[in-house]
Amino acid sequence: MTAMTPARTAPDLSYLLDHTSHVLRTRMSAELAEIGLTARMHCVLVHALEEERTQAQLAELGDMDKTTMVVTVDALEKAGLAERQPSSQDRRARIIAVTEEGARIASRSQEIVDGIHRRALTTLPDGDREALLRALNHLVDGHLATPAESPRPTRRARQREQ
Amino acid sequence: MTAMTPARTAPDLSYLLDHTSHVLRTRMSAELAEIGLTARMHCVLVHALEEERTQAQLAELGDMDKTTMVVTVDALEKAGLAERQPSSQDRRARIIAVTEEGARIASRSQEIVDGIHRRALTTLPDGDREALLRALNHLVDGHLATPAESPRPTRRARQREQ
DNA sequence: TATTGTTATACTCTATAACTATA
DNA sequence: TATAGTTATAGAGTATAACAATA
């Protein structure tokens, strides 16, 4: 399912944000899939291109778990878009080096992402577009900066092998 | 994980929408959990209160699968907030009747949801708030109305029992 | 002792299939 | 034949635990 559609008393900001972000996400997935990427692969490629970064740093930037990072880097290596290289600073760490092909793909994926955003934004009147971005940035930096801590039904410890 | 943080060329509308909707969702979950509801239970309660509706109609309204609806109604019944009643029109269908307790809880949950939306919106300057809502509605009704069809890796048919 | 990256795996979520009873 | 609701379960996604190498 995609989003709730509750009856409304105050303007249903949740519905508006859920719906728009969901639709954008499906477009990103669909268009990035055409060049063999997921959103996460795109995210890692772009950040790895900016400067030398380890898996842990890239995971932090993309807000991914380190185990999710492993499968993402596996996919990038398998596609020939990046390679794990030993760090000279820390022999535990791996630098993610983007290949030439990876850099080409990254510039195409960035165009795709920018295009999706631009096409959506240009359908809005100039004033509303600017106000929308200003308002969203305001919320992200302020009242909606941090998630409520999830009342996660703390997962039970795994059964020990014996 | 919560959201991507890709490098930016065009304004990163996806990040802004993902982040804000995610934070709102965590608040809703957390605050609704305090009165024993999930977002879906709230959604069903509210729509079931508006008029006599069957599970299928409520599933349609909340954009849920009918199987997801089953577990949601199970939870509502178990909590004593709603009951399945046979429809007089169609003996296959079940009307979801909200109990008195369910109606009380629904009005509290609607207050919770409205409060979360209002508190977020009131942090914005009047003009930006109106433009934000106008812009999001514009996108929902227009350019971002419908999701790209997911290149769903069509699930294989289940193995027949023999 | 703590951290990086890895593997293995457990949990949640949601959708598919198959079924029963109606229509 | 098609639809409402149910059950069982498959599959995707992702997080937890434990581990090896290194700090």
Side-chain angles (χ1 to χ4, degrees):
Chain A
M1 75 155 254
T2 67
M4 307 272 85
T5 315
R8 188 185 327 172
T9 308
D12 195 347
L13 187 60
S14 294
Y15 168 74
L16 294 170
L17 294 172
D18 283 353
H19 184 90
T20 49
S21 73
H22 174 250
V23 172
L24 277 184
R25 191 195 309 275
T26 62
R27 299 227 173 134
M28 296 257 260
S29 296
E31 294 194 28
L32 288 175
E34 289 176 20
I35 59 171
L37 293 189
T38 61
R40 270 198 256 273
M41 289 165 78
H42 162 73
C43 177
V44 168
L45 274 186
V46 167
H47 284 129
L49 271 168
E50 289 168 1
E51 56 182 271
E52 270 207 359
R53 284 178 166 140
T54 66
Q55 286 190 205
Q57 291 170 329
L58 291 166
E60 168 72 19
L61 282 167
D63 196 12
M64 300 177 215
D65 190 88
K66 62 182 180 173
T67 59
T68 304
M69 193 66 200
V70 169
V71 310
T72 305
V73 175
D74 285 350
L76 288 171
E77 280 203 321
K78 197 172 158 199
L81 305 178
E83 288 166 3
R84 287 171 168 96
Q85 291 181 353
S87 162
S88 49
Q89 326 293 317
D90 182 339
R91 282 194 293 171
R92 293 170 304 181
R94 311 293 171 140
I95 300 293
I96 303 308
V98 178
T99 64
E100 275 184 39
E101 172 67 0
R104 269 193 296 276
I105 290 286
S107 82
R108 291 181 60 194
S109 63
Q110 189 60 55
E111 273 172 36
I112 287 173
V113 169
D114 287 345
I116 289 171
H117 290 155
R118 252 195 295 268
R119 286 198 298 279
L121 289 169
T122 52
T123 66
L124 300 170
D126 289 6
D128 283 2
R129 174 172 58 249
E130 284 150 28
L132 170 73
L133 294 170
R134 196 163 54 236
L136 290 175
N137 276 300
H138 184 103
L139 291 171
V140 164
D141 293 335
H143 188 258
L144 296 183
T146 55
E149 63 276 28
S150 58
R152 200 79 74 52
T154 3
R155 199 194 290 193
R156 289 182 294 281
R158 182 163 58 144
Q159 223 59 4
R160 286 298 312 256
E161 314 277 316
Q162 56 209 342
Chain B
M1 72 153 258
T2 66
M4 306 272 87
T5 315
R8 188 185 326 173
T9 308
D12 194 346
L13 186 61
S14 293
Y15 168 74
L16 294 169
L17 295 173
D18 282 353
H19 183 90
T20 49
S21 74
H22 174 249
V23 172
L24 277 184
R25 192 195 307 274
T26 63
R27 299 226 173 133
M28 296 257 259
S29 296
E31 295 195 27
L32 289 175
E34 291 176 20
I35 59 171
L37 293 189
T38 61
R40 270 197 256 273
M41 288 164 79
H42 162 74
C43 178
V44 169
L45 275 187
V46 166
H47 283 129
L49 272 168
E50 290 168 0
E51 56 182 271
E52 270 207 0
R53 283 180 167 139
T54 66
Q55 287 189 206
Q57 290 169 330
L58 291 165
E60 169 72 19
L61 281 167
D63 198 12
M64 301 175 214
D65 191 86
K66 62 181 179 173
T67 60
T68 304
M69 193 65 200
V70 169
V71 310
T72 305
V73 174
D74 285 350
L76 288 171
E77 279 204 323
K78 198 172 157 197
L81 305 179
E83 289 166 3
R84 288 173 168 95
Q85 292 181 351
S87 162
S88 49
Q89 325 295 317
D90 183 339
R91 283 194 293 169
R92 294 169 303 179
R94 311 292 170 143
I95 300 294
I96 302 309
V98 179
T99 64
E100 275 184 39
E101 173 67 0
R104 271 194 294 275
I105 290 286
S107 82
R108 291 182 59 195
S109 64
Q110 189 61 53
E111 274 171 34
I112 287 173
V113 169
D114 286 344
I116 290 171
H117 291 155
R118 253 195 294 268
R119 286 198 298 278
L121 289 168
T122 52
T123 67
L124 299 171
D126 288 7
D128 283 3
R129 174 173 57 250
E130 284 150 28
L132 170 73
L133 293 170
R134 196 164 51 237
L136 289 175
N137 275 302
H138 184 104
L139 290 171
V140 164
D141 293 335
H143 189 258
L144 296 183
T146 54
E149 62 275 29
S150 57
R152 200 80 74 53
T154 4
R155 198 193 291 192
R156 288 182 294 282
R158 181 161 61 143
Q159 224 59 3
R160 286 299 311 259
E161 315 276 317
Q162 59 210 343

